[in-house]
């Protein structure tokens, strides 16, 4: 979108390809990941990359029909870096040889030993003759292609770092993109420097270009945006609002499953600070009546997802001249949807989203964040004037408190849950822990337990506190609160919230647990 230097990452299906893009964005370098199937000669000519990285992948280049890029990759006279499988592909295509891994696999940490040759790729790398890297390979290069030299070796990878300086081709057997390769970013930075990248990718530039593009695309038509109050939809709305002002209408579907004061706060912030046209769809009773008596987690999710679309449509169809639907899709979602194998993964929980809406309503999608990672979206949000406290909020699931109320949902339980959750979050903020934690919340359990308060017997609900650390929500660890914090929180909660008399702390990691209880 911006007029910047572009780097192409050809994906051969490694689990960590996304991290290459992450590391490069941290270096202010614009890159895109494309699966190898899509990278044709025509694609390469149109993309106009100034450098290419070939990712790792699960295939074996020794197999027939193993994935390969077009030969043109090596004929464009631009720097190419092969990583793991990418190295093996490069060697196999340029006249080297790869052996099937029998007893020579390396998984996990490995130590590289420097040879006596120097290369700009390794500037600032070896402070001693050794460097730790992370390997994950079965096959290995057994003969390097003509013109290549060796710059480092490991026990099972005699060609751990190789280069052909004349042709600006570089290849490594390990993964520089993962954190377990401590100097990996330096290597990627060196590669980009060799390729002449100046680090011209900035959020400020992105914002200007995105605004120009939205104006051009939308013209004088209207845009509808489903605002959930989460970071992604909020930044999307504010960015589009900056571009086209009154031509944007946001619909905030209030399903009655939000946290204490949440709906009012979101509405107020967008109306007061941005003077945004915002419809507050108050449909709490509709959702509540349809969820009445439902206990099964998937049924609850499906009901909420279906109603959400229905309600959204009901309000959106009254917006005259609406031709576009704005969505806060991020780059990781884009990459996921074009995943290497394309195979469906097992449904652990059906996610609540507005998929299918644009087709149903005959609207064109507009997704101004689809080139950004989450931290870039946060940065953009701050630049656009959204309060830091808002931008840094913990994620909150679309189905809201419904999935924090296992079993049947009642208004009584939701009220208790809201109050308990507010106390928990207040405690976390007071102790200065909010930003260390990925997500924290309370779940109200579908059991009552016996307690004693004053001299009287109580028979009230039990709650579970959940607080986790995570990078992306895919895996998580429970947060190790001090016992004194937990004791203080439990006391406050039982004193301040009517209806609960027992507090537990959930110490399950993900996997095997999930973050939410349903
Ligand atoms: P789980 O419970 O699957 O959650 O470990 C991982 C992350 O996703 C959030 N989550 C959702 N977010 N719609 C969303 O927008 C959903 O249906 C949904 N379900 C779970 C969850 O809060 C956590 O951050």
């Amino acid at each position: 979108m911006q007029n910047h230097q572009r780097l192409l990452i050809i994906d051969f299906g490694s689990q960590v390809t996304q991290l290459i893009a992450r590391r490069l964005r941290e270096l202010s370098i614009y890159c895109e990941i494309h699966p190898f199937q899509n990278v044709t000669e025509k694609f390469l000519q149109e993309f106009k990359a100034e450098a290419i990285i070939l990712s790792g992948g699960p295939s074996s280049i020794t197999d027939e029909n193993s994935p390969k890029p077009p030969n043109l990759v090596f004929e464009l006279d631009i720097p190419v870096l092969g990583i793991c499988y990418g190295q093996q592909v490069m060697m196999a295509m340029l006249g080297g040889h790869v052996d099937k891994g029998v007893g020579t696999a390396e998984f996990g940490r490995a130590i590289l030993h420097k040879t006596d040759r120097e290369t700009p790729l390794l500037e600032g790398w070896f402070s001693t003759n050794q460097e730790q890297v992370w390997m994950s390979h079965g096959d290995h290069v057994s003969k390097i292609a003509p013109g290549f030299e060796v710059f480092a070796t490991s026990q099972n990878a005699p060609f751990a770092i190789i280069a052909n300086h004349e042709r600006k081709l570089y290849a490594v057997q390990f993964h520089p993109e993962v954190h377990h390769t401590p100097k990996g970013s330096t290597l990627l930075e060196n590669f980009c420097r060799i390729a002449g990248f100046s680090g011209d990718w900035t959020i400020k530039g992105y914002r200007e270009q995105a605004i120009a593009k939205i104006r051009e695309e939308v013209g004088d038509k209207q845009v509808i945006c489903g605002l959930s109050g989460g970071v992604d939809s909020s930044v999307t709305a504010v960015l589009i609002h900056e571009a086209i002002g009154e031509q944007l209408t946001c619909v905030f579907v209030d399903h009655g499953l939000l946290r204490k004061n949440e709906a009012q706060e979101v509405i107020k912030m967008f109306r007061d600070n941005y003077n945004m046209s915002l419809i507050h769809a108050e449909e709490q009773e509709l959702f509540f009546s349809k969820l009445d008596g439902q206990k099964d987690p998937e049924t609850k999710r499906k009901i909420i997802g279906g109603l959400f679309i229905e309600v959204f449509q009901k309000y959106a169809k009254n917006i005259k001249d609406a031709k576009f639907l704005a969505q806060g899709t991020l780059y990781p979602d884009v990459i996921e949807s074009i995943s290497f194998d394309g195979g469906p993964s097992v449904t652990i929980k059906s996610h609540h989203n507005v998929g299918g809406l644009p087709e149903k309503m005959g609207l064109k999608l507009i997704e101004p964040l689809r080139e950004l990672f989450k931290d870039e979206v946060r940065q953009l949000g701050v630049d656009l004037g959204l309060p830091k406290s808002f931008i840094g909020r913990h994620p909150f699931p679309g189905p809201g408190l419904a999935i924090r109320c296992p079993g049947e949902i009642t208004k009584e339980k939701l009220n208790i849950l809201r109050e308990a959750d507010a106390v928990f979050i207040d405690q976390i903020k007071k102790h200065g822990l909010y930003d260390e934690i990925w997500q924290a919340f309370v779940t109200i359990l579908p059991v009552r337990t016996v307690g004693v308060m004053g001299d009287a017997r109580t028979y009230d609900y039990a709650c579970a506190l959940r607080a986790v650390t995570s990078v992306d929500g895919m895996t998580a660890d429970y947060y190790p609160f001090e016992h004194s914090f937990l004791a203080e929180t439990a006391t406050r909660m039982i004193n301040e919230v009517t209806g609960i008399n027992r507090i537990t702390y959930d110490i399950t990691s993900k996997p095997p647990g999930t973050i939410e209880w349903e």
Side-chain angles (χ1 to χ4, degrees):
M1 182 186 277
Q2 260 171 292
N3 208 2
H4 40 241
Q5 298 174 288
R6 293 152 68 80
L7 187 147
L8 170 65
I9 300 168
I10 304 182
D11 185 21
F12 293 102
S14 156
Q15 299 284 329
V16 288
T17 303
Q18 264 205 46
L19 292 179
I20 306 175
R22 261 305 330 114
R23 299 283 93 81
L24 295 176
R25 290 286 181 91
E26 283 159 12
L27 299 167
S28 302
I29 285 160
Y30 184 79
C31 57
E32 286 182 22
I33 300 175
H34 290 270
F36 75 93
Q37 300 96 320
N38 297 354
V39 180
T40 57
E41 292 206 350
K42 182 164 175 279
F43 176 96
L44 283 170
Q45 269 142 1
E46 285 169 4
F47 191 91
K48 297 198 171 42
E50 295 189 27
I52 293 177
I53 294 182
L54 309 174
S55 86
S59 315
S60 172
I61 192 72
T62 62
D63 292 344
E64 223 180 305
N65 298 328
S66 53
K68 289 187 198 70
N71 284 322
L72 183 62
V73 162
F74 303 109
E75 291 155 12
L76 289 167
D77 197 28
I78 57 172
V80 181
L81 171 67
I83 295 176
C84 197
Y85 180 77
Q87 180 194 46
Q88 295 162 8
V89 165
M90 189 187 283
M91 288 305 99
M93 290 176 71
L94 297 178
H97 197 79
V98 176
D99 276 350
K100 238 195 171 18
V102 184
T104 55
E106 281 175 301
F107 292 102
R109 288 187 175 80
I111 298 296
L112 287 198
H113 298 272
K114 187 179 176 309
T115 63
D116 52 10
R117 296 191 185 88
E118 301 291 334
T119 166
L121 187 68
L122 297 179
E123 220 174 280
W125 234 63
F126 286 104
S127 37
T128 66
N129 271 351
Q130 299 190 350
E131 191 56 59
Q132 181 192 304
V133 296
W134 192 76
M135 294 270 193
S136 176
H137 67 104
D139 297 353
H140 68 279
V141 175
S142 52
K143 180 177 146 243
I144 50 177
F148 279 78
E149 293 176 310
V150 186
F151 298 90
T153 63
S154 75
Q155 196 175 356
N156 279 342
F159 306 113
I161 301 179
I162 55 177
N164 178 337
H165 287 131
E166 206 183 307
R167 294 186 64 187
K168 290 177 274 184
L169 303 178
Y170 305 85
V172 297
Q173 179 59 75
F174 56 92
H175 287 270
E177 66 275 32
V178 303
H179 279 295
H180 302 300
T181 300
K183 291 214 182 132
S185 280
T186 307
L187 187 143
L188 293 172
E189 189 174 3
N190 288 340
F191 173 71
C192 293
R193 197 170 28 78
I194 294 166
F197 280 81
S198 60
D200 60 0
W201 164 253
T202 62
I203 287 295
K204 185 169 171 289
Y206 184 84
R207 172 180 170 181
E208 286 162 11
Q209 304 262 341
I211 285 172
K213 189 174 166 213
I214 294 165
R215 285 190 184 137
E216 190 190 319
E217 196 174 350
V218 172
D220 59 359
K221 298 290 184 283
Q222 298 286 320
V223 179
I224 309 171
C225 177
L227 189 67
S228 70
V231 174
D232 305 342
S233 70
S234 300
V235 175
T236 303
V238 176
L239 181 68
I240 296 180
H241 187 253
E242 181 159 299
I244 56 167
E246 286 170 8
Q247 286 164 259
L248 169 73
T249 305
C250 292
V251 180
F252 178 73
V253 176
D254 189 342
H255 50 22
L257 301 162
L258 299 166
R259 289 163 293 189
K260 192 175 175 182
N261 299 332
E262 188 165 14
Q264 293 74 7
E265 280 167 15
V266 170
I267 298 284
K268 189 167 161 25
M269 189 181 79
F270 284 96
R271 285 205 182 131
D272 291 0
N273 294 349
Y274 293 98
N275 193 20
M276 214 180 260
S277 157
L278 175 55
I279 298 171
H280 183 182
E282 296 215 55
E283 297 286 353
Q284 298 93 322
E285 286 308 318
L286 171 70
F287 280 83
F288 201 74
S289 64
K290 293 275 161 64
L291 286 168
D292 193 26
Q294 300 294 343
K295 290 186 180 153
D296 175 62
E298 275 302 291
T299 311
K300 290 200 281 187
R301 279 175 171 275
K302 296 236 159 77
I303 290 174
I304 295 169
L307 281 180
F308 192 93
I309 293 183
E310 214 174 276
V311 168
F312 189 85
Q313 263 181 299
K314 176 173 118 186
Y315 288 84
K317 75 168 186 259
N318 296 329
I319 300 166
K320 256 186 71 199
D321 252 354
K323 288 281 176 296
F324 296 90
L325 178 73
Q327 225 166 254
T329 314
L330 306 193
Y331 195 47
D333 309 328
V334 176
I335 304 171
E336 229 158 70
S337 63
I338 50 166
S339 72
F340 174 77
D341 53 15
S345 52
V346 182
T347 303
I348 308 289
K349 300 173 183 184
S350 55
H351 258 234
H352 157 92
N353 56 32
V354 290
L357 246 188
E359 300 85 56
K360 265 194 187 164
M361 299 180 66
L363 296 173
K364 221 176 137 200
L365 257 190
I366 155 165
E367 302 174 302
L369 309 183
R370 59 181 284 130
E371 290 168 43
L372 302 184
F373 283 95
K374 188 82 177 184
D375 55 330
E376 294 173 322
V377 171
R378 292 208 167 101
Q379 176 64 49
L380 178 60
V382 172
D383 288 1
L384 285 163
L386 282 162
K388 271 215 168 88
S389 57
F390 186 82
I391 290 296
R393 282 192 324 163
H394 292 169
F396 185 66
L401 300 182
I403 59 173
R404 296 178 179 175
C405 191
E408 210 169 318
I409 301 170
T410 66
K411 286 189 181 163
E412 182 202 17
K413 282 201 233 170
L414 288 178
N415 283 335
I416 295 172
L417 184 50
R418 278 193 191 98
E419 295 300 325
D421 196 76
V423 172
F424 188 32
I425 298 299
D426 185 55
Q427 276 288 99
I428 288 174
K429 285 188 174 158
K430 269 202 184 127
H431 284 258
L433 303 174
Y434 191 81
D435 293 338
E436 275 178 45
I437 293 172
W438 160 268
Q439 203 170 7
F441 56 88
V442 176
T443 296
I444 184 164
L445 305 185
V447 281
R448 288 177 194 258
T449 70
V450 174
V452 53
M453 264 177 110
D455 287 327
R457 175 187 192 267
T458 58
Y459 187 54
D460 284 331
Y461 285 106
C463 280
L465 311 183
R466 181 98 165 117
V468 295
T469 54
S470 176
V471 177
D472 51 13
M474 305 291 284
T475 59
D477 268 327
Y478 78 93
Y479 185 80
F481 287 121
E482 301 279 340
H483 282 196
S484 56
F485 172 90
L486 290 170
E488 186 185 300
T489 306
T491 306
R492 259 195 76 185
M493 229 176 242
I494 289 182
N495 286 342
E496 293 175 31
V497 184
T498 312
I500 42 175
N501 65 358
R502 195 174 295 272
I503 315 286
T504 62
Y505 186 45
D506 178 355
I507 57 164
T508 323
S509 58
K510 173 183 180 177
T514 51
I515 296 177
E516 306 286 349
W517 277 47
E518 285 199 334

